[in-house]
């Protein structure tokens, strides 16, 4: 299993066409700052790690340069590096890194490879889109009653300023707040608080957030 993990890491380096690599590891789950922001964040994840997880983690840390998060996830480490310099390319299976400007390669579980070189405007658009749609894998549901079609319909086109995007997000949350069926699904006591909570967990940290992760 350790050899298989090493092969995967080396393959990702080759896909990124890089000569060196740094592996990013998340902080302990209970230390994750997002759990203090959203009460349901990753509540659906198993508390126990897969068999041999810690053995493989220790092996990879011994074999490759690496960085472990303090209060942050591995994705945040990738995001802070890739948004700081064009010299960094983030490689992950997680689409959430599209909320960060810079070079990102997503390797899907079926082997498909997607390559992105996102501008800040494109990253902000995906961040606000994720704020509306939520992420069931991570346990937060976004704006009640919105979904993918609702997010696509209400957001300005990619390239809009962040204040324009945020205005559209707040309008959509406010609309949901006025409907009793959706209002009862809100976790907080106000639509603005709900939007802020989801935006904070949806944002993968950038280098400008480096001192704010804890």
């Amino acid at each position: 299993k350790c050899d298989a993990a090493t092969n995967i890491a080396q393959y990702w380096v080759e896909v990124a066409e890089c000569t060196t690599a740094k592996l990013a590891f998340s902080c302990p789950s209970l230390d994750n700052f997002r759990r203090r922001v959203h009460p349901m964040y990753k509540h659906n994840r198993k508390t126990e790690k897969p068999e041999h997880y810690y053995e493989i983690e220790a092996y990879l840390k011994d074999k490759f340069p690496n960085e472990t998060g303090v209060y942050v996830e591995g994705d945040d480490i990738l995001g802070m590096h890739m948004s700081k310099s064009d010299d960094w390319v983030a490689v992950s299976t997680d689409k959430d890194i599209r909320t960060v400007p810079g070079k990102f390669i997503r390797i899907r579980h079926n082997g498909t490879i997607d390559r992105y070189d996102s501008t800040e405007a494109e990253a902000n658009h995906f961040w606000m889109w994720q704020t509306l749609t939520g992420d069931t894998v991570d346990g937060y549901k976004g704006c009640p009653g919105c979904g993918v079609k609702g997010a696509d319909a209400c957001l300005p086109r990619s390239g809009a300023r962040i204040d324009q995007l945020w205005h559209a997000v707040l309008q959509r949350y406010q609309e949901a707040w006025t409907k009793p069926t959706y209002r009862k699904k809100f976790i907080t006591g106000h639509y603005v608080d709900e939007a802020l909570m989801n935006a904070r967990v949806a944002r993968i940290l950038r280098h400008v957030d480096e001192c704010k992760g804890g």
Side-chain angles (χ1 to χ4, degrees), residues 1-18 20-25 53 56-57 59-60 63-64 89-94 105-113:
K1 291 184 181 294
C2 289
D3 288 341
T6 300
N7 290 337
I8 291 172
Q10 291 175 337
Y11 170 65
W12 286 18
V13 174
E14 292 173 7
V15 169
E17 299 178 348
C18 294
T20 59
K22 175 183 280 190
L23 302 187
F25 293 91
Y53 173 87
I56 295 171
E57 180 185 55
Y59 180 84
L60 290 175
K63 192 171 183 64
F64 292 94
V89 180
V91 183
S92 174
T93 60
D94 196 338
I105 298 174
R106 182 187 181 193
I107 301 182
R108 298 174 183 262
H109 293 294
N110 64 4
T112 302
I113 299 174

Side-chain angles (χ1 to χ4, degrees), residues 95-109:
K95 72 181 188 304
D96 297 347
I97 301 182
R98 288 181 61 192
T99 65
V100 181
K103 297 176 183 177
F104 166 46
I105 298 174
R106 182 187 181 193
I107 301 182
R108 298 174 183 262
H109 293 294

Side-chain angles (χ1 to χ4, degrees), residues 137-152:
V137 174
D138 285 340
Y140 69 97
K141 298 182 179 180
C143 180
C146 182
V148 171
K149 291 184 179 180
D152 288 341

Side-chain angles (χ1 to χ4, degrees), residues 97-102 116-129 155 157-161 165 206:
I97 301 182
R98 288 181 61 192
T99 65
V100 181
Y116 304 93
D117 190 357
S118 300
T119 64
E120 185 174 8
E122 290 169 337
N124 285 340
H125 189 277
F126 192 79
W127 173 30
M128 291 294 99
W129 184 87
L155 284 178
R157 293 181 179 179
S158 183
R161 300 191 313 269
L165 293 166
R206 308 176 186 182

Side-chain angles (χ1 to χ4, degrees), residues 31-175:
D31 292 343
N32 190 331
F33 82 93
R34 290 180 178 85
R35 287 184 176 269
R36 302 198 297 270
V37 174
H38 197 303
M40 304 302 289
Y41 186 74
K42 290 190 175 179
H43 73 288
N44 52 345
R45 299 290 184 92
K46 294 180 179 180
T47 56
E48 293 184 2
K49 295 291 187 183
E51 187 179 8
H52 305 303
Y53 173 87
Y54 293 107
E55 176 186 350
I56 295 171
E57 180 185 55
Y59 180 84
L60 290 175
K61 285 183 176 181
D62 185 61
K63 192 171 183 64
F64 292 94
N66 62 85
E67 185 174 342
T68 301
V70 178
Y71 303 117
V72 300
E73 300 177 48
D75 285 351
D76 296 309
I77 296 172
L78 296 179
M80 287 186 283
H81 281 302
M82 67 181 276
S83 60
K84 189 174 185 178
S85 169
D86 288 338
D87 293 335
W88 288 92
V89 180
V91 183
S92 174
T93 60
D94 196 338
K95 72 181 188 304
D96 297 347
I97 301 182
R98 288 181 61 192
T99 65
V100 181
K103 297 176 183 177
F104 166 46
I105 298 174
R106 182 187 181 193
I107 301 182
R108 298 174 183 262
H109 293 294
N110 64 4
T112 302
I113 299 174
D114 299 322
R115 297 175 185 270
Y116 304 93
D117 190 357
S118 300
T119 64
E120 185 174 8
E122 290 169 337
N124 285 340
H125 189 277
F126 192 79
W127 173 30
M128 291 294 99
W129 184 87
Q130 194 93 317
T131 299
L132 287 169
T133 63
D135 189 337
T136 54
V137 174
D138 285 340
Y140 69 97
K141 298 182 179 180
C143 180
C146 182
V148 171
K149 291 184 179 180
D152 288 341
C154 79
L155 284 178
R157 293 181 179 179
S158 183
R161 300 191 313 269
I162 185 61
D163 61 309
Q164 295 172 318
L165 293 166
W166 182 241
H167 178 72
V169 168
L170 288 182
Q171 281 190 318
R172 192 64 179 80
Y173 271 86
Q174 185 178 26
E175 180 183 334

